[in-house]
Amino acid sequence: MGEFEVHRVRFFGLVPAGVRCLAYQPRGGRLALGRTDGAVEVYNFAANYFQEKVIPGHEARSVEALCWVTGDRLFGAGLGGEIAEYDLSRLCVACSVDGGGGPIWSMAANSSGTQLAIGCEDGSVKLFQVVPGGIQFERNLDRRKGRILCLSWHPSDTHIAAGSIDIFRVLDVSSGQTVQRVMVNYHVHKVKRECIVWSIAFLSSGTIVTSDSFGRVQFWDWERGTLLESHTVSTSSVLSLAVSEKEDSIVVGTSTGATYQFQLLPVKMGSLEKRWVRTKPFQHHTHDVRAVAHSSTALISGGLDAQLVIRPLMEKMQKKGYEAALRKFTFPHRRLVSCARKARLLLFQFSQHLELWRLGSTNETGKDGEVLPLCRMPEHLLQLKSKGPEHIYCSCVSPCGSWVAYSTASRFHLYRVQYENDSVSVKKVPKVPKLLLPAYQLQFSTDSDNLFVASARGSVHILQLLEPGSCKHLHTYRPPSECPEAVYLLAVSSDGHWLAAVSGDWAIHIYNLKCFKHHCTVPTYDCAVTALAIHPITNNLVIAYSDQQLFEFSIPEKQYTAWSRTVQNQGLHKVWLERDSPITHITFNPKNPSHILLHDTYMFCVLDKSLPLPDNSALLMNQSTLKQLPETARQRQLHAFKICKKFQPLLFADLLDENCLVMVERPIMDFKTQLPLPIQQKKFGT
Amino acid sequence: QLYSSSLDGSIKLWDFMDGIPIKTFTVGSKLLALYALASFEDSLFVVIPKSGERDTFQLVSVKLTKAAGQDLEAKELSVVLDGVDASPKRIAFGREGEYVASVKDVNLQVYFFKQKQLNRFSVSAVKTKSGNNRFTCVACHPTEDCIATGHADGKIRLWRNFCHKKEYTFSTLHWHHDTVMDLAFSVEGTCLLSGGVESVLVLWRNESDCQKDFLPRLGSAIEYISMASDGTLCCTLHTDNRITIINSNLTFAKSIQGLIKSANVKTGLVVDPRTKALVLNGEPGHLQFYSLQSDQQLFSLDIVQRQYIHQAGLNQTDLVKVAFSAQGQWLATVEEREEVTDPELQLKFWFYDEETQSFKLNTRINMPHEDHITDMCFRDMDELEEDSLILVTTGRDRVFKVWVMVEDTDPEAQQSVSWSCDFVGSYHNYQATNCCFSEDGSLLAVSFEETVTVWDSVTWDLKCTFCHPPGKIRNICFGRLTCSKYLIGATDHGFLCCWNLLSCALEWSAHLNVIVLQPDPLSEHIAAVSWLSKESSLFVFKPNEPRPIYIQRNLCREKIQLAAFVPRDEPETVGSEKYLWLRRSQLFFLTDTQELMTLSMKSLQERLTPSSKQLAVEESLPVTPFSLLLGKHRRQRSQENTDPGKILVRNKREQDSPAVKELLHTPAHVLPSASFLCPVFIDSLLISKENKSAEEVADEVEMESEKTEDDSDEEGDVIEMEQEDASRVESLGEVTCKLSKSQEKELRKIRKMDYSWISVF
């Protein structure tokens, strides 16, 4: 593996925003996730749960509810009172319509996808018609006092159940009248607290399921308004509820972080009488579970602890394996850190500001595992606050450290940073060229002369940076065929000759920078690209896909390399393929051309192409066993993957020079302490 | 009708109203558990060991032939489930006998009779830090397809949808912090009861984690839970030999208890001079006063006065030594907490308060000795005035201490006297092991390892020493009455020595491995129990002659730990010369499995008969002892029920419970008139007449009580005795002491006869 001097960076104070709402789209296998800061993310279940698209948030635009309409249109509504349709190829809000009823707490689409219902602060339920290119207000349904916190359509689209405080109502869609009104706190005596109906579901059998702040999940007959069953699952609120498509299973999330499954089970073998039974409890979260979703094979929950948990249902799985593993996602599947190698600077991207840090340094050397004393502490050089309510899409620092660029939804900023002794001065580059915004990825060339801006429609702009602080637009690369999707990953060769760009349709285009033209397209592989990089010496493009496959593509020869073919023939190790977080960054060691350095959230790996690939019987993570072996035996046991799991969770790793690494960690405990306190629970034995 | 099975491989069908065995089916192998179902009329389910393999058991169904005759062979066995657990708690039959569930280790097996389908489920075997999740018990929902299983880590799992191999599901209820010992569903299945070592009965409503009720402080760990078929009562069986009856609204109704079984009887068997009750460890930290005459706990004295935490593996303060003064005026107790480094010791003096009729704490001494107290005795001087009362304690810290009463000088103290240390004696830095006062109180004998020292109790001078090396002194005692010049000592090297105090020389010695040496306070006899080649033998002798006057070999198979002479109220008339020594007091033994036994001098025939006559006598008594008697029978039966050797048919058993309950709750003034009960009495009198015996009632009560002292957990430990001895020695632990078949039948017949009159109600 080699020895490295490692900068173990723990001063990236990223606090991921909590999960506010989830919307699962069963046919596309996609999950839309809304965070408390207004960001919307789309996870592709077919591509190993890869976080495919991220739409950064907006200060004024919270997301309270998300819903998919007719398969691929995503709508969101929030306390800003607006309903927005998201453009998933350009990753921005396509259009937004004011709801006209104050803050919107809930939104639901009918099963045919023609109508959207929203529940507003003023107690009204409004219907919107979904039309191509947007939505149109249709009419108001019966308005009563009390905010509408949750909505659910009857699968036949004739009725809507709306949950409010202390009551829920059933509205007739055609007449717009309230046809049933049920007090949910009727059965609780002497309690003066109000009972909030947090979530509601209307089943096709006419049963309404409510979850409320008294910790109950209740089943009602809507026509008679009678309580069928009541299950107290928690001492605190049950915040969220989701029903499976077959309506035989329900998942609920509580404010203690526990989720429970309810199943409709026959009371007796062979009899038709069925009953809802609370079956499995899960405790994956530490904070409120604000959103749950139910796919056909898994329970999905998202909490204020920023975790997205996908818990497969074992009984729905055909076999044990990759699909049946529990998955937890806390950190984004893309990098928020960029590194100026030469200047030894790190740029951290937060939702609304950037931080520039200089790494510490040491004069001492030590043995493996030793912590070296610092002679200069890491230094916080700069904090750049983004103006306006929009959140940052992407950012980058140039390798020389003198340029910093970032982009929001509507603006692009380029700064010239100058270092004079101990003081740092920042100057904004005036008159940046008008580009197609937003930029989805920024990348400086190795010599810091050019800036590549990934843009919508598959295009990449190239800006030339001029001393002392100006720039000009040089060229725009476009893919040979029309592409609606935005470019989300860029890679530049270190000799400045090649540029690789990945767009949302997962096509990788390679451009020749010297003659400003399209060079070739990497053969399509039907999976999301999670990271790519061009080797500085061989100009081979190394690509990591979300199904954990690795490819090496020779740009000059326009074909996969021999090594890549061997990898495909032999197949990668089972343990490697079953990892659940994608490779987020690839880099190379110029001293060792056969080494590829890659990392995901839980490991850092040096891939040595000169060594044989491990087969499934070998131990993948064999570094610690290798250490104990004698030299001769060690030679026999060596294989290509050298994995280090010392740094977790790893947000970024890069090679500064040939024997110096920088690792950016964000220990889970560090950010958990910055979250609001969870509900105090008495734990036995403490 | 009622079925019982026993380890000897037979199933008996009883008419439990009349107490008559109707049929006996011989199966052949050991029967460890028995189940009967309403839906399988002609077959029974039993658990038998698998032939050829050790520790593997299988559940088989036994076809009961309809043929006439008393003794039948039941050879038609068909295996239902393989690899089941021997414990009857680990098999349960589901709704209407549709399926059977069995748990063992981490596996649950469900067999459907109709579909002939076997489903196996298992929980992961990993031992988490909260303990392992082995199955411990199983119960089936009476009306739905739901199985509840208890686990060693305290969780209860409710399994549903188990007719599918894959799409089964379970939910978890967790309250217990330790093993769930037993589970029971209510009759409708809406509630689930669970119990464990916490001695809290938990009622789970609607299978919900949030709706649970508790009945705490049930005294000791719950071993079994059983629900009445009408759902009004449930009963729990505890590890300390007690049954608690609980109403359906989770309120305590009644407790049936005799001798409380405590984990370790450290105090020895002591007789309270005042009540003639046997005093020994009861509930943890308590002293139980157990009346032998009525098989009743007179009261329980809280000595430790601390909250007992029901949790395994905790070192908690317990009572280790007890001594009474001659009149029962003073009680001295020693409690200690077992610590490796330094034990916590407390010596307490209790004064009997005539007004409140109970003991009152007088003096508490912390750390009376540096190390464990080995023995303690009062100077027994009946005629002397009170201030001569002395207590001697011996400790492992190589000293003995003399405690005397002193006038309390503190004016604020409520009591006039308190106890303090008067003298500390030691001998060559040996550990003091035993102490004993001579009958007149003038001499104190203290044994220090191998040496017995005799001290003047007035001046505390060392008078003389005796030694019989090798071997340390295990027991010492002075002779009584005419033999008061002798000092008897037993060594752990197997010698019994008798020293003459006048000549200071060894009078005689005998080679005998004496475990217990117990002098009779009312005569010169001394009883010694030896333990040799896995048998306990009893020797009774007088110190003045080296020949024993009575020998009873093979007293029992268990090691006898303790013995006590209990004075009789009035001397018995004894016909046989052999039993002359039993004239004034009766000898009781406690074995290491905590069976209490006594020696009786009557023949078996004589002793068995009076029970029916007894009933008639009891009938005229007020309700309390009467119901107690009934309760005893009830308890006995349900203990048999929990005994794997004798599982009774539950639904059959429950039938009589309303009748019994009615009786229990009927006040004396509304009991049926005497004429109504008369035929029953006459009936019972007729039987007794047959046997032409006329014993005293007191003795009969005693015997009745003895028989009921059944220790629930002594499963399978059948006492075997030689046939000729069986008539002489009564084993209290087991009703089924090895009598001949005909005798046994007769015994049962007579005992069950008591119930005939109940059917009148």
Side-chain angles (χ1 to χ4, degrees), chain B residues 483-644:
Chain B
C483 302
S484 58
K485 61 183 175 183
Y486 297 105
L487 176 67
I488 319 293
T491 69
D492 61 357
H493 241 258
F495 278 97
L496 182 68
C497 311
C498 176
W499 291 286
N500 190 329
L501 288 170
L502 299 177
S503 63
C504 291
L506 185 69
E507 189 85 5
W508 53 266
S509 76
H511 192 75
L512 195 62
N513 183 25
V514 175
I515 299 291
V516 179
L517 192 66
Q518 188 66 35
D520 183 359
L522 301 177
S523 68
E524 48 274 88
H525 299 107
I526 293 175
V529 177
S530 77
W531 173 251
L532 206 67
S533 62
K534 308 236 163 168
E535 281 171 345
S536 293
S537 308
L538 171 70
F539 299 86
V540 180
F541 60 91
K542 281 188 182 179
N544 53 7
E545 46 188 319
R547 266 187 319 283
I549 55 164
Y550 177 80
I551 300 175
Q552 173 73 59
R553 292 200 184 275
N554 307 331
L555 195 62
C556 68
R557 275 291 173 87
E558 283 96 37
K559 197 167 175 174
I560 286 177
Q561 268 194 328
L562 299 161
F565 276 101
V566 178
R568 292 183 195 277
D569 291 340
E570 46 193 277
E572 289 268 304
T573 47
V574 177
S576 161
E577 179 75 16
K578 204 173 169 185
Y579 294 113
L580 209 58
W581 60 279
L582 277 174
R583 210 169 70 86
R584 302 199 61 191
S585 39
Q586 200 175 3
L587 186 58
F588 285 87
F589 308 102
L590 196 74
T591 67
D592 54 359
T593 52
Q594 292 198 24
E595 289 174 40
L596 188 64
M597 305 187 174
T598 188
L599 269 173
S600 170
M601 45 194 155
K602 286 153 206 137
S603 70
L604 185 74
Q605 213 58 300
E606 287 174 90
R607 285 184 295 110
L608 287 176
T609 41
S611 59
S612 50
K613 193 184 131 198
Q614 154 94 30
L615 183 77
V617 177
E618 290 262 28
E619 201 72 47
S620 56
L621 293 175
V623 161
T624 333
F626 175 49
S627 56
L628 201 107
L629 173 84
L630 280 171
K632 278 185 295 196
H633 283 281
R634 237 179 97 80
R635 179 169 68 110
Q636 199 170 19
R637 275 187 298 121
S638 52
Q639 274 178 351
E640 279 171 1
N641 187 26
T642 54
D643 195 329

Side-chain angles (χ1 to χ4, degrees), chain B residues 296-410:
Chain B
Q296 224 184 332
Q297 187 186 320
L298 292 180
F299 64 96
S300 182
L301 182 65
D302 188 357
I303 299 291
V304 171
Q305 295 176 335
R306 277 186 214 175
Q307 172 86 35
Y308 184 77
I309 302 157
H310 292 281
Q311 189 177 331
L314 278 186
N315 267 336
Q316 303 192 57
T317 312
D318 205 2
L319 195 59
V320 289
K321 291 279 178 275
V322 162
F324 280 97
S325 69
Q327 300 299 314
Q329 195 78 13
W330 287 94
L331 165 68
T333 60
V334 176
E335 64 204 52
E336 66 177 37
R337 198 159 76 98
E338 199 73 48
E339 287 274 323
V340 182
T341 48
D342 51 328
E344 274 178 33
L345 290 175
Q346 274 197 349
L347 174 64
K348 284 178 179 170
F349 291 92
W350 305 77
F351 181 72
Y352 189 77
D353 193 342
E354 295 284 354
E355 279 173 35
T356 57
Q357 295 283 307
S358 70
F359 285 96
K360 218 171 112 185
L361 184 63
N362 177 278
T363 308
R364 182 169 63 201
I365 295 152
N366 281 325
M367 293 306 289
H369 281 261
E370 304 288 304
D371 209 337
H372 298 282
I373 288 180
T374 51
D375 201 5
M376 171 164 83
C377 67
F378 274 102
R379 182 158 73 172
D380 272 340
M381 287 161 83
D382 302 352
E383 66 276 6
L384 284 179
E385 63 276 17
E386 197 171 64
D387 60 322
S388 71
L389 204 58
I390 306 176
L391 179 80
V392 174
T393 55
T394 57
R396 232 182 266 169
D397 57 347
R398 303 164 206 285
V399 292
F400 74 91
K401 292 189 180 180
V402 180
W403 307 85
V404 293
M405 255 191 293
V406 291
E407 290 291 321
D408 218 322
T409 48
D410 188 356

Side-chain angles (χ1 to χ4, degrees), chain A residues 12-28:
Chain A
F12 180 24
L14 175 76
V15 181
V19 178
R20 179 62 195 86
C21 52
L22 293 170
Y24 180 67
Q25 185 221 350
R27 272 156 295 279

